[in-house]
Amino acid sequence: MKKIGIAYENGQIFQHFGKTPSFLIVEAEGKEIISREIVSTNGEGHSALFNFLSGLGVQVVVCGGIGQGARDALVQGGIEVIGGQMGSTEAALMFYLNGDLRDSGGCCGHHHHHHHGEGHSCGEHGCK
């Protein structure tokens, strides 16, 4: 059994991991979905999200942009990260269950080097 957490907002993959309002939490056995629920992060952000996801037993996180610090914390805690994803959470879930979803980085380097307004796009840093 595998537990997958997908950064979620209105059926789409939320694009800033550290500010994710909720996660679609899915339990799957092979390609079969056993259970699914949407769980609010209750405003927990950035570093608190590792404990939140770990406490739910999540083994894989699918998200959009994610900073290196958050990525490192998840990986060191034994959670696989598949970053750089966009679009429908359901489509991403199906691709994942079929073995076709790959981490494309989704680094969000603005935490370290850049000072943009809130409306920045993580893709503008040239990280793929």
Side-chain angles (χ1 to χ4, degrees):
M1 180 103 70
K2 193 159 256 193
K3 208 160 195 187
I4 306 149
I6 305 175
Y8 181 91
E9 186 179 56
N10 300 322
Q12 300 293 305
I13 297 171
F14 192 74
Q15 290 301 301
H16 187 142
F17 174 80
K19 295 184 178 180
T20 303
S22 56
F23 282 88
L24 172 63
I25 305 294
V26 177
E27 283 185 308
E29 187 74 61
K31 293 183 182 182
E32 184 183 349
I33 295 170
I34 308 299
S35 70
R36 66 171 67 219
E37 65 176 322
I38 294 169
V39 180
S40 169
T41 59
N42 295 316
E44 298 281 342
H46 291 94
S47 59
L49 287 175
F50 169 75
N51 290 333
F52 174 81
L53 293 165
S54 182
L56 291 170
V58 169
Q59 298 153 291
V60 180
V61 167
V62 177
C63 59
I66 181 168
Q68 194 60 49
R71 176 183 288 275
D72 290 347
L74 291 169
V75 170
Q76 287 167 7
I79 298 176
E80 179 185 357
V81 177
I82 302 176
Q85 306 304 312
M86 302 171 103
S88 160
T89 52
E90 291 300 316
L93 177 60
M94 291 303 121
F95 278 118
Y96 178 79
L97 294 177
N98 286 319
D100 296 328
L101 198 63
R102 300 278 178 264
D103 180 28
S104 63
C107 63
C108 201
H110 68 281
H111 296 293
H112 308 292
H113 312 292
H114 303 282
H115 300 284
H116 300 298
E118 276 301 302
H120 81 282
S121 154
C122 291
E124 69 196 31
H125 304 298
C127 49
K128 296 267 183 258

